[in-house]
Short mmCIF file of all heavy atoms in Angstrom, two decimals:
data_model
loop_
_atom_site.label_atom_id
_atom_site.label_comp_id
_atom_site.label_asym_id
_atom_site.label_seq_id
_atom_site.Cartn_x
_atom_site.Cartn_y
_atom_site.Cartn_z
N GLN A 1 86.05 -10.55 9.19
CA GLN A 1 85.34 -10.17 7.97
C GLN A 1 83.93 -9.72 8.34
O GLN A 1 83.18 -10.49 8.95
CB GLN A 1 85.30 -11.35 7.00
CG GLN A 1 84.65 -11.04 5.68
CD GLN A 1 84.63 -12.26 4.77
OE1 GLN A 1 84.24 -13.34 5.19
NE2 GLN A 1 85.06 -12.07 3.53
N PHE A 2 83.60 -8.49 8.01
CA PHE A 2 82.27 -7.93 8.28
C PHE A 2 81.87 -8.09 9.73
O PHE A 2 80.74 -8.45 10.04
CB PHE A 2 81.22 -8.53 7.35
CG PHE A 2 81.53 -8.34 5.89
CD1 PHE A 2 81.84 -9.43 5.08
CD2 PHE A 2 81.52 -7.08 5.33
CE1 PHE A 2 82.14 -9.26 3.74
CE2 PHE A 2 81.82 -6.89 3.99
CZ PHE A 2 82.13 -7.99 3.20
N GLY A 3 82.81 -7.89 10.64
CA GLY A 3 82.52 -7.95 12.07
C GLY A 3 82.58 -9.33 12.68
O GLY A 3 82.52 -9.48 13.89
N ALA A 4 82.70 -10.36 11.88
CA ALA A 4 82.79 -11.74 12.38
C ALA A 4 84.25 -12.18 12.43
O ALA A 4 85.07 -11.72 11.63
CB ALA A 4 82.00 -12.68 11.49
N CYS A 5 84.55 -13.07 13.35
CA CYS A 5 85.91 -13.60 13.49
C CYS A 5 85.90 -15.08 13.09
O CYS A 5 85.00 -15.83 13.48
CB CYS A 5 86.40 -13.46 14.92
SG CYS A 5 86.49 -11.76 15.47
N TRP A 6 86.91 -15.48 12.35
CA TRP A 6 87.00 -16.84 11.83
C TRP A 6 88.37 -17.43 12.13
O TRP A 6 89.38 -16.74 12.12
CB TRP A 6 86.79 -16.85 10.33
CG TRP A 6 85.46 -16.33 9.91
CD1 TRP A 6 85.13 -15.02 9.66
CD2 TRP A 6 84.28 -17.09 9.71
NE1 TRP A 6 83.81 -14.93 9.32
CE2 TRP A 6 83.26 -16.19 9.33
CE3 TRP A 6 83.97 -18.44 9.81
CZ2 TRP A 6 81.97 -16.59 9.05
CZ3 TRP A 6 82.68 -18.85 9.52
CH2 TRP A 6 81.69 -17.93 9.15
N SER A 7 88.39 -18.72 12.34
CA SER A 7 89.62 -19.49 12.54
C SER A 7 89.73 -20.48 11.39
O SER A 7 88.78 -21.21 11.09
CB SER A 7 89.53 -20.23 13.88
OG SER A 7 90.58 -21.16 14.00
N LEU A 8 90.90 -20.51 10.75
CA LEU A 8 91.11 -21.39 9.61
C LEU A 8 92.35 -22.26 9.81
O LEU A 8 93.31 -21.83 10.45
CB LEU A 8 91.32 -20.57 8.33
CG LEU A 8 90.13 -19.80 7.78
CD1 LEU A 8 90.02 -18.45 8.44
CD2 LEU A 8 90.26 -19.64 6.30
N SER A 9 92.31 -23.44 9.22
CA SER A 9 93.49 -24.30 9.20
C SER A 9 94.50 -23.68 8.23
O SER A 9 94.16 -22.78 7.44
CB SER A 9 93.11 -25.70 8.72
OG SER A 9 92.69 -25.65 7.37
N LYS A 10 95.72 -24.18 8.24
CA LYS A 10 96.74 -23.68 7.32
C LYS A 10 96.29 -23.88 5.87
O LYS A 10 96.39 -22.97 5.06
CB LYS A 10 98.06 -24.41 7.57
CG LYS A 10 99.20 -23.92 6.72
CD LYS A 10 100.50 -24.60 7.09
CE LYS A 10 101.64 -24.04 6.26
NZ LYS A 10 102.92 -24.60 6.64
N LYS A 11 95.77 -25.05 5.57
CA LYS A 11 95.30 -25.36 4.22
C LYS A 11 94.14 -24.44 3.82
O LYS A 11 94.11 -23.90 2.71
CB LYS A 11 94.86 -26.82 4.16
CG LYS A 11 94.29 -27.25 2.85
CD LYS A 11 93.81 -28.69 2.92
CE LYS A 11 92.95 -29.04 1.74
NZ LYS A 11 92.30 -30.33 1.89
N GLY A 12 93.19 -24.27 4.72
CA GLY A 12 92.04 -23.41 4.43
C GLY A 12 92.43 -21.96 4.26
O GLY A 12 91.90 -21.25 3.40
N TYR A 13 93.37 -21.50 5.09
CA TYR A 13 93.85 -20.11 5.00
C TYR A 13 94.54 -19.87 3.66
O TYR A 13 94.28 -18.86 3.00
CB TYR A 13 94.79 -19.82 6.17
CG TYR A 13 95.24 -18.39 6.26
CD1 TYR A 13 94.35 -17.37 6.56
CD2 TYR A 13 96.57 -18.06 6.05
CE1 TYR A 13 94.78 -16.06 6.64
CE2 TYR A 13 97.00 -16.75 6.14
CZ TYR A 13 96.11 -15.75 6.44
OH TYR A 13 96.53 -14.45 6.53
N GLN A 14 95.39 -20.79 3.26
CA GLN A 14 96.08 -20.64 1.99
C GLN A 14 95.08 -20.62 0.84
O GLN A 14 95.17 -19.79 -0.07
CB GLN A 14 97.10 -21.75 1.78
CG GLN A 14 97.87 -21.61 0.48
CD GLN A 14 99.00 -22.60 0.34
OE1 GLN A 14 99.48 -23.18 1.31
NE2 GLN A 14 99.43 -22.81 -0.89
N GLN A 15 94.08 -21.51 0.86
CA GLN A 15 93.06 -21.55 -0.19
C GLN A 15 92.27 -20.24 -0.22
O GLN A 15 91.98 -19.70 -1.28
CB GLN A 15 92.11 -22.72 0.02
CG GLN A 15 91.06 -22.87 -1.07
CD GLN A 15 91.68 -23.22 -2.41
OE1 GLN A 15 92.43 -24.19 -2.50
NE2 GLN A 15 91.39 -22.43 -3.43
N PHE A 16 91.93 -19.71 0.96
CA PHE A 16 91.21 -18.44 1.06
C PHE A 16 92.01 -17.30 0.42
O PHE A 16 91.48 -16.50 -0.36
CB PHE A 16 90.91 -18.14 2.53
CG PHE A 16 90.27 -16.83 2.78
CD1 PHE A 16 88.95 -16.59 2.41
CD2 PHE A 16 90.96 -15.81 3.41
CE1 PHE A 16 88.35 -15.37 2.64
CE2 PHE A 16 90.37 -14.58 3.65
CZ PHE A 16 89.06 -14.37 3.27
N LEU A 17 93.30 -17.24 0.71
CA LEU A 17 94.15 -16.19 0.14
C LEU A 17 94.31 -16.37 -1.37
O LEU A 17 94.30 -15.39 -2.12
CB LEU A 17 95.52 -16.18 0.82
CG LEU A 17 95.53 -15.80 2.30
CD1 LEU A 17 96.94 -15.93 2.86
CD2 LEU A 17 94.99 -14.40 2.52
N GLU A 18 94.47 -17.61 -1.82
CA GLU A 18 94.59 -17.86 -3.26
C GLU A 18 93.32 -17.45 -3.99
O GLU A 18 93.38 -16.81 -5.05
CB GLU A 18 94.91 -19.33 -3.52
CG GLU A 18 96.31 -19.72 -3.12
CD GLU A 18 96.58 -21.21 -3.17
OE1 GLU A 18 95.61 -22.00 -3.36
OE2 GLU A 18 97.75 -21.59 -3.00
N ASP A 19 92.17 -17.79 -3.44
CA ASP A 19 90.90 -17.41 -4.06
C ASP A 19 90.72 -15.90 -4.07
O ASP A 19 90.28 -15.32 -5.07
CB ASP A 19 89.72 -18.07 -3.34
CG ASP A 19 89.63 -19.56 -3.62
OD1 ASP A 19 90.38 -20.07 -4.48
OD2 ASP A 19 88.81 -20.22 -2.96
N GLY A 20 91.07 -15.25 -2.99
CA GLY A 20 90.95 -13.80 -2.92
C GLY A 20 91.86 -13.10 -3.92
O GLY A 20 91.46 -12.14 -4.58
N SER A 21 93.08 -13.60 -4.07
CA SER A 21 94.02 -12.96 -4.99
C SER A 21 93.62 -13.19 -6.45
O SER A 21 94.01 -12.42 -7.32
CB SER A 21 95.45 -13.46 -4.75
OG SER A 21 95.57 -14.82 -5.04
N ALA A 22 92.82 -14.21 -6.71
CA ALA A 22 92.33 -14.49 -8.07
C ALA A 22 90.92 -13.96 -8.28
O ALA A 22 90.29 -14.27 -9.30
CB ALA A 22 92.38 -15.99 -8.34
N ASN A 23 90.40 -13.18 -7.33
CA ASN A 23 89.04 -12.64 -7.40
C ASN A 23 87.98 -13.72 -7.58
O ASN A 23 87.02 -13.55 -8.32
CB ASN A 23 88.92 -11.61 -8.54
CG ASN A 23 89.44 -10.27 -8.14
OD1 ASN A 23 89.23 -9.82 -7.02
ND2 ASN A 23 90.15 -9.62 -9.05
N ARG A 24 88.16 -14.84 -6.88
CA ARG A 24 87.18 -15.93 -6.97
C ARG A 24 86.19 -15.91 -5.81
O ARG A 24 85.51 -16.88 -5.56
CB ARG A 24 87.90 -17.28 -6.99
CG ARG A 24 88.61 -17.55 -8.28
CD ARG A 24 89.05 -18.98 -8.38
NE ARG A 24 90.05 -19.33 -7.41
CZ ARG A 24 91.33 -19.57 -7.68
NH1 ARG A 24 91.76 -19.49 -8.91
NH2 ARG A 24 92.16 -19.90 -6.73
N GLY A 25 86.15 -14.83 -5.10
CA GLY A 25 85.20 -14.73 -3.98
C GLY A 25 85.87 -14.97 -2.65
O GLY A 25 86.94 -15.57 -2.58
N TRP A 26 85.21 -14.50 -1.61
CA TRP A 26 85.84 -14.51 -0.30
C TRP A 26 84.86 -14.89 0.80
O TRP A 26 84.94 -14.39 1.90
CB TRP A 26 86.43 -13.14 0.00
CG TRP A 26 87.25 -12.62 -1.12
CD1 TRP A 26 88.48 -13.05 -1.48
CD2 TRP A 26 86.91 -11.60 -2.06
NE1 TRP A 26 88.94 -12.35 -2.57
CE2 TRP A 26 87.98 -11.45 -2.95
CE3 TRP A 26 85.78 -10.81 -2.24
CZ2 TRP A 26 87.98 -10.54 -4.00
CZ3 TRP A 26 85.79 -9.90 -3.29
CH2 TRP A 26 86.88 -9.77 -4.15
N ASP A 27 83.94 -15.76 0.52
CA ASP A 27 82.94 -16.14 1.51
C ASP A 27 83.50 -17.24 2.42
O ASP A 27 83.69 -18.37 1.99
CB ASP A 27 81.66 -16.62 0.82
CG ASP A 27 80.55 -16.97 1.78
OD1 ASP A 27 80.75 -16.82 3.01
OD2 ASP A 27 79.49 -17.40 1.31
N LEU A 28 83.74 -16.89 3.66
CA LEU A 28 84.34 -17.85 4.60
C LEU A 28 83.40 -18.97 5.01
O LEU A 28 83.82 -19.92 5.65
CB LEU A 28 84.86 -17.11 5.84
CG LEU A 28 86.16 -16.37 5.59
CD1 LEU A 28 86.41 -15.32 6.66
CD2 LEU A 28 87.31 -17.33 5.50
N ASN A 29 82.14 -18.89 4.62
CA ASN A 29 81.20 -19.98 4.91
C ASN A 29 81.37 -21.15 3.96
O ASN A 29 80.71 -22.18 4.12
CB ASN A 29 79.75 -19.47 4.85
CG ASN A 29 79.39 -18.70 6.09
OD1 ASN A 29 79.70 -19.12 7.19
ND2 ASN A 29 78.73 -17.57 5.91
N GLN A 30 82.22 -21.03 2.97
CA GLN A 30 82.41 -22.11 2.00
C GLN A 30 83.19 -23.26 2.64
O GLN A 30 84.15 -23.03 3.37
CB GLN A 30 83.17 -21.59 0.77
CG GLN A 30 82.44 -20.50 0.02
CD GLN A 30 81.10 -20.98 -0.50
OE1 GLN A 30 80.99 -22.05 -1.08
NE2 GLN A 30 80.07 -20.19 -0.26
N PRO A 31 82.78 -24.50 2.39
CA PRO A 31 83.40 -25.65 3.05
C PRO A 31 84.88 -25.85 2.75
O PRO A 31 85.61 -26.39 3.58
CB PRO A 31 82.58 -26.84 2.56
CG PRO A 31 81.86 -26.38 1.37
CD PRO A 31 81.70 -24.89 1.48
N GLN A 32 85.36 -25.40 1.59
CA GLN A 32 86.77 -25.62 1.25
C GLN A 32 87.73 -24.88 2.19
O GLN A 32 88.89 -25.23 2.29
CB GLN A 32 87.07 -25.26 -0.21
CG GLN A 32 87.01 -23.78 -0.53
CD GLN A 32 85.68 -23.34 -1.07
OE1 GLN A 32 84.65 -23.92 -0.76
NE2 GLN A 32 85.68 -22.31 -1.89
N TYR A 33 87.24 -23.87 2.91
CA TYR A 33 88.11 -23.12 3.82
C TYR A 33 88.18 -23.73 5.21
O TYR A 33 89.03 -23.35 6.00
CB TYR A 33 87.65 -21.67 3.92
CG TYR A 33 87.61 -20.96 2.59
CD1 TYR A 33 86.53 -20.17 2.24
CD2 TYR A 33 88.64 -21.09 1.68
CE1 TYR A 33 86.48 -19.52 1.02
CE2 TYR A 33 88.61 -20.45 0.46
CZ TYR A 33 87.53 -19.67 0.14
OH TYR A 33 87.49 -19.03 -1.07
N GLU A 34 87.30 -24.65 5.52
CA GLU A 34 87.29 -25.30 6.83
C GLU A 34 87.35 -24.25 7.96
O GLU A 34 88.06 -24.40 8.95
CB GLU A 34 88.46 -26.27 6.96
CG GLU A 34 88.48 -27.34 5.89
CD GLU A 34 89.75 -28.16 5.86
OE1 GLU A 34 90.69 -27.88 6.63
OE2 GLU A 34 89.81 -29.11 5.06
N ALA A 35 86.60 -23.17 7.77
CA ALA A 35 86.61 -22.06 8.73
C ALA A 35 85.60 -22.29 9.84
O ALA A 35 84.53 -22.84 9.62
CB ALA A 35 86.29 -20.75 8.01
N ARG A 36 85.99 -21.87 11.04
CA ARG A 36 85.09 -21.94 12.19
C ARG A 36 84.91 -20.53 12.74
O ARG A 36 85.86 -19.79 12.90
CB ARG A 36 85.70 -22.81 13.29
CG ARG A 36 85.93 -24.24 12.88
CD ARG A 36 86.41 -25.08 14.03
NE ARG A 36 87.69 -24.59 14.55
CZ ARG A 36 88.66 -25.37 14.98
NH1 ARG A 36 88.51 -26.66 15.01
NH2 ARG A 36 89.78 -24.85 15.43
N SER A 37 83.68 -20.21 13.02
CA SER A 37 83.39 -18.92 13.65
C SER A 37 83.89 -18.95 15.09
O SER A 37 83.70 -19.94 15.79
CB SER A 37 81.88 -18.66 13.61
OG SER A 37 81.58 -17.46 14.24
N VAL A 38 84.55 -17.88 15.51
CA VAL A 38 85.05 -17.80 16.88
C VAL A 38 84.58 -16.49 17.51
O VAL A 38 84.42 -15.49 16.83
CB VAL A 38 86.59 -17.90 16.96
CG1 VAL A 38 87.07 -19.27 16.51
CG2 VAL A 38 87.27 -16.83 16.13
N LYS A 39 84.34 -16.54 18.80
CA LYS A 39 83.91 -15.33 19.50
C LYS A 39 85.08 -14.47 19.93
O LYS A 39 84.98 -13.26 20.00
CB LYS A 39 83.08 -15.72 20.72
CG LYS A 39 81.76 -16.36 20.37
CD LYS A 39 80.91 -16.57 21.60
CE LYS A 39 79.68 -17.37 21.30
NZ LYS A 39 78.64 -16.69 20.63
N LYS A 40 86.21 -15.12 20.21
CA LYS A 40 87.37 -14.38 20.70
C LYS A 40 88.64 -14.91 20.04
O LYS A 40 88.87 -16.12 20.00
CB LYS A 40 87.47 -14.55 22.22
CG LYS A 40 88.57 -13.77 22.86
CD LYS A 40 88.55 -13.94 24.36
CE LYS A 40 89.72 -13.21 24.97
NZ LYS A 40 89.84 -13.45 26.40
N ILE A 41 89.44 -13.99 19.55
CA ILE A 41 90.71 -14.36 18.93
C ILE A 41 91.77 -14.44 20.04
O ILE A 41 91.85 -13.55 20.89
CB ILE A 41 91.09 -13.34 17.85
CG1 ILE A 41 90.08 -13.44 16.71
CG2 ILE A 41 92.50 -13.58 17.36
CD1 ILE A 41 90.26 -12.45 15.61
N PRO A 42 92.57 -15.49 20.05
CA PRO A 42 93.56 -15.66 21.12
C PRO A 42 94.56 -14.50 21.19
O PRO A 42 94.92 -13.91 20.17
CB PRO A 42 94.29 -16.95 20.72
CG PRO A 42 93.40 -17.64 19.78
CD PRO A 42 92.59 -16.59 19.11
N THR A 43 95.01 -14.22 22.39
CA THR A 43 96.04 -13.21 22.61
C THR A 43 97.29 -13.64 21.86
O THR A 43 97.67 -14.79 21.88
CB THR A 43 96.35 -13.08 24.11
OG1 THR A 43 95.14 -12.81 24.80
CG2 THR A 43 97.36 -11.99 24.38
N GLY A 44 97.90 -12.72 21.19
CA GLY A 44 99.12 -13.02 20.44
C GLY A 44 98.87 -13.36 18.98
O GLY A 44 99.80 -13.37 18.18
N ALA A 45 97.63 -13.66 18.62
CA ALA A 45 97.31 -13.93 17.22
C ALA A 45 97.36 -12.62 16.44
O ALA A 45 97.14 -11.55 17.00
CB ALA A 45 95.93 -14.57 17.10
N LYS A 46 97.67 -12.71 15.16
CA LYS A 46 97.73 -11.52 14.31
C LYS A 46 96.69 -11.66 13.20
O LYS A 46 97.03 -11.92 12.05
CB LYS A 46 99.13 -11.37 13.73
CG LYS A 46 100.18 -11.04 14.78
CD LYS A 46 101.60 -11.13 14.30
CE LYS A 46 101.90 -10.36 13.06
NZ LYS A 46 103.32 -10.39 12.69
N PRO A 47 95.41 -11.50 13.54
CA PRO A 47 94.38 -11.67 12.51
C PRO A 47 94.47 -10.60 11.44
O PRO A 47 94.94 -9.49 11.69
CB PRO A 47 93.08 -11.52 13.30
CG PRO A 47 93.45 -10.65 14.44
CD PRO A 47 94.86 -11.03 14.80
#
């Protein structure tokens, strides 16, 4: 998102998608997403 890479738990990812689909905002810095900033996405991941 905006050039930054984030890692989310299954629960956080689902909440992020639910909020996005309901137009409730998409700020990954929110604590409910349990997102961590990452410098490199693992090989084989499909971000």
